Amino acid sequence: GPAAPSARAAGRRTMAAALALYLLVAADPAPSRARLSLHRLRGGLTDPTSPPLYRLRYFDARGVAELARVTLRAAGVVFEDARFPVAMVDGMPRTPEFAAAKESGDLAANMGRVPILDVLDPSGAVEASIGQSHAIERYVARAHGLLGGSLLEAAAAEALREHCQDIRNAYSKAVPPFSPDDESKAARKAHWYKNELPQWLPRPPGGLG
């Protein structure tokens, strides 16, 4: 039956908090191994010694997989954060392990791209693989009760996700990924956070305030 009001509110707050933190950390594509503490929103991780439920495959960067990582941690599930190494050569990213996986057909679930979420059985075998970052985020949110208790609450959470994406796109346009880390980039970044970001954040979208 329908979720109780308290459960709906908790799910809505959890998703909103996860998305808000994503907005703070996802704009900068630089590699990060920081362990987020969003699992506290749902009472802690499941037993970290238990087999992972998922394997999330992406580059060793935040990029378009970061919201999936945040959502998995918000759900409190154990997952393998599998990252293809990224080496900068003459100012350009080089990813030989990713190229090999693509060539082998191992990334077919996303048409030779990442991210990919592998759904694992208790033995660690892959039951299914899901491509496309938005599809992964929504699958995890639905599977673990992070989309509220009604279609309208789910739509409100998904709208917030799209607002976050619009903001991230605006940042990437102002401060392009992999642009040289020089004084010009630092100035553009400081200007964006001081002058442009506040224009995007007057209030939360309807239904999530």
Side-chain angles (χ1 to χ4, degrees):
S6 60
R8 292 199 302 268
R12 185 172 60 188
R13 288 195 301 271
T14 299
M15 195 60 176
L19 288 164
L21 183 56
Y22 162 73
L23 175 61
L24 292 176
V25 302
D28 187 348
S32 171
R33 294 188 180 277
R35 296 290 296 179
L36 303 179
S37 59
L38 278 176
H39 60 273
R40 295 192 179 95
L41 292 169
R42 290 183 60 81
L45 288 168
T46 53
D47 181 359
T49 64
S50 63
L53 298 178
Y54 307 106
R55 178 188 302 114
L56 181 64
R57 291 184 279 165
Y58 191 63
F59 301 110
D60 188 12
R62 292 168 178 160
V64 299
E66 192 67 7
L67 181 52
R69 294 182 182 124
V70 168
T71 306
L72 285 159
R73 291 179 175 126
V77 299
V78 177
F79 72 101
E80 178 186 347
D81 189 2
R83 301 182 180 223
F84 290 107
V86 179
M88 299 300 294
V89 179
D90 297 328
M92 296 298 295
R94 296 289 184 266
T95 55
E97 292 183 17
F98 165 78
K102 178 178 180 178
E103 180 68 21
S104 73
D106 194 36
L107 308 179
N110 200 4
M111 300 179 68
R113 301 168 298 172
V114 285
I116 290 174
L117 183 73
D118 296 319
V119 182
L120 308 178
D121 69 14
S123 72
V126 177
E127 290 186 339
S129 295
I130 303 168
Q132 293 288 353
S133 58
H134 292 200
I136 292 168
E137 295 154 14
R138 287 170 169 84
Y139 170 81
V140 173
R142 289 191 181 99
H144 299 283
L146 298 181
L147 279 181
S150 70
L151 289 175
L152 287 175
E153 289 184 340
E158 292 181 359
L160 179 57
R161 187 261 175 266
E162 297 304 325
H163 285 301
C164 289
Q165 185 64 47
D166 288 344
I167 296 170
R168 186 177 186 277
N169 290 344
Y171 177 87
S172 296
K173 183 177 180 179
V175 187
F178 304 114
S179 56
D181 289 322
D182 53 19
E183 292 183 3
S184 174
K185 180 176 182 178
R188 293 197 306 273
K189 183 182 294 188
H191 178 272
W192 191 87
Y193 277 106
K194 180 179 179 180
N195 299 293
E196 298 186 37
L197 178 60
Q199 298 179 33
W200 285 95
L201 303 174
R203 63 184 64 86
L208 286 171

